[in-house]
Amino acid sequence: YAMKGDLENAQLFWNEALQLNQLNGNLEREGKLLLNYGVLYYDLAEYDKSITMYTRAKTIFENLGDKNSYGITIANLAEVNYKICNYDLSIEYLSKAKLIFNDIGNYVELAEVLLLESKILFSLCEASKLFPILNELNRLSDKKLLPSSYQKKIEMLKALIKLSSNEKDTAIGLLTDILEELSESDERDSNYNYAFISFLLVGLFVEMKSLDKAKKLLSDEKLSDFANNNVFVGIEMDYWTAQIKMKTKINDSFDNIQKALEKLKNITITPLSWRVIFLAGKYFEKRGNYYKAEKYYYLTQAMVMNIKNTLNVENLSSYAKLNNEINLILKEITKFELKSSN
């Protein structure tokens, strides 16, 4: 159920399985069930619950000496902590997971962690941070330690490096080819990669003012279906739709902003939280409603400053992309404050 995006039935199934296991008292099985519960809550965007389930599973696997399951669990903890802006902790978990899978010789799971690390570092850092990951994946592939299907995932990393190096046309070509291949799969991992690449391309096309191409991607049936079944992907869909509407000025964008804000109410702060709220501020500023604009800008400022203050100073300086985005947002808010005070 979970792999097909049927989260309601997945939850019913795991509830029943966990209750049955409590009667049998099988600790290993309980750990596996808690791990699956963590995945389920991640997909439901209930990130705090996801962390709770993963943490309980981690304790069980550590006590059992099950290194493989322990490694998978802390890799999942890296993913969910990244989602809610616990960047330093996420990087720490990734490092631990890599050591474990190297130690036990599970190179497929090692590759999964490396690919997750590449997506995380792509959003935080400059291209130079991605080259060692590509080299390691190529080494594993050359030694025939990975199935041939991993070549597609390695191509995605190459595209991210091209994009980080400002080779946009090459990156777009690679990403478009990968997207076409992913469209044929309905597995959970493929769906998330499909959404990740789609929104990456949408952002690129918006930046390049190719708004028709961006709109075409957002109207894609596969992406729309996934957005309807996944809260967080749905929020990102509304965010980019609102961005395009604001730029074209053909349709009012606040309906999409409002839908995204409503969904974000029950979700722990993520980068998408401050992006949507900042966009709401820009919407009201453009319409001359400085009172509402100030409210949304103040919320954005509080969020990004909180993230900035929780990060290790040395780590923040190495998160060049994140640092630049935060500084740009703060600069725009300061410009608004000066304008509105005159």
Side-chain angles (χ1 to χ4, degrees), residues 95-106:
S95 297
K96 286 180 180 177
K98 285 190 293 184
L99 286 172
I100 288 166
F101 291 128
N102 244 326
D103 184 50
I104 65 175
N106 188 338

Side-chain angles (χ1 to χ4, degrees), residues 174-186:
L174 286 168
L175 291 169
T176 303
D177 289 344
I178 297 164
L179 203 62
E180 191 174 338
E181 287 185 52
L182 288 171
S183 67
E184 298 170 8
S185 171
D186 198 31

Side-chain angles (χ1 to χ4, degrees), residues 57-280:
K58 177 173 77 77
T59 302
I60 289 172
F61 295 136
E62 191 172 19
N63 288 334
L64 291 173
D66 183 345
K67 288 187 176 181
N68 191 65
S69 298
Y70 179 75
I72 291 169
T73 306
I74 62 172
N76 287 3
L77 277 165
E79 182 178 39
V80 69
N81 275 286
Y82 163 73
K83 200 68 146 186
I84 60 172
C85 307
N86 292 336
Y87 299 122
D88 292 345
L89 185 56
S90 176
I91 299 297
E92 183 184 325
Y93 276 133
L94 285 171
S95 297
K96 286 180 180 177
K98 285 190 293 184
L99 286 172
I100 288 166
F101 291 128
N102 244 326
D103 184 50
I104 65 175
N106 188 338
Y107 299 111
V108 172
E109 287 298 342
L110 174 60
E112 285 297 314
V113 174
L114 289 167
L115 289 161
L116 172 61
E117 183 181 34
S118 70
K119 287 201 281 187
I120 289 174
L121 291 182
F122 168 75
S123 71
L124 298 176
C125 309
E126 295 172 342
S128 60
K129 301 281 185 180
L130 301 178
F131 286 111
I133 302 174
L134 178 61
N135 291 338
E136 178 63 9
L137 284 168
N138 281 333
R139 185 185 71 81
L140 294 172
S141 181
D142 290 344
K143 288 190 171 184
K144 310 295 182 189
L145 295 170
L146 301 176
S148 58
S149 59
Y150 268 80
Q151 199 54 45
K152 178 174 61 180
K153 295 181 178 182
I154 294 171
E155 287 298 306
M156 182 170 72
L157 174 52
K158 289 178 182 176
L160 297 184
I161 289 172
K162 292 292 183 185
L163 194 51
S164 293
S165 306
N166 211 30
E167 296 179 50
K168 292 179 184 175
D169 290 340
T170 305
I172 288 169
L174 286 168
L175 291 169
T176 303
D177 289 344
I178 297 164
L179 203 62
E180 191 174 338
E181 287 185 52
L182 288 171
S183 67
E184 298 170 8
S185 171
D186 198 31
E187 297 298 316
R188 177 181 179 273
D189 182 58
S190 296
N191 285 337
Y192 271 113
N193 280 328
Y194 192 87
F196 172 74
I197 292 172
S198 295
F199 292 133
L200 201 55
L201 285 169
V202 168
L204 263 174
F205 290 139
V206 168
E207 185 185 323
M208 296 164 69
K209 297 184 172 57
S210 301
L211 299 182
D212 286 341
K213 290 181 179 179
K215 283 193 283 187
K216 185 180 178 182
L217 274 170
L218 289 176
S219 64
D220 175 77
E221 186 179 354
K222 182 179 175 68
L223 184 63
S224 298
D225 287 346
F226 191 36
N228 288 333
N229 290 309
N230 186 287
V231 177
F232 199 80
V233 175
I235 294 169
E236 192 152 10
M237 177 77 90
D238 282 321
Y239 168 74
W240 284 114
T241 303
Q243 278 260 40
I244 292 167
K245 285 181 177 178
M246 281 179 70
K247 289 182 182 297
T248 57
K249 300 176 184 177
I250 296 171
N251 298 306
D252 189 80
S253 59
F254 193 67
D255 179 52
N256 294 101
I257 294 173
Q258 201 166 33
K259 281 197 288 185
L261 288 170
E262 192 62 35
K263 292 172 191 170
L264 283 166
K265 276 184 181 178
N266 301 315
I267 296 177
T268 312
I269 292 174
T270 74
L272 203 49
S273 305
W274 74 63
R275 287 168 191 154
V276 170
I277 292 168
F278 182 62
L279 190 64

Side-chain angles (χ1 to χ4, degrees), residues 280-296:
K282 289 175 81 172
Y283 173 88
F284 285 112
E285 182 186 356
K286 284 178 182 292
R287 278 151 186 76
N289 189 335
Y290 285 9
Y291 172 76
K292 283 195 173 180
E294 185 178 34
K295 182 181 79 169
Y296 285 111

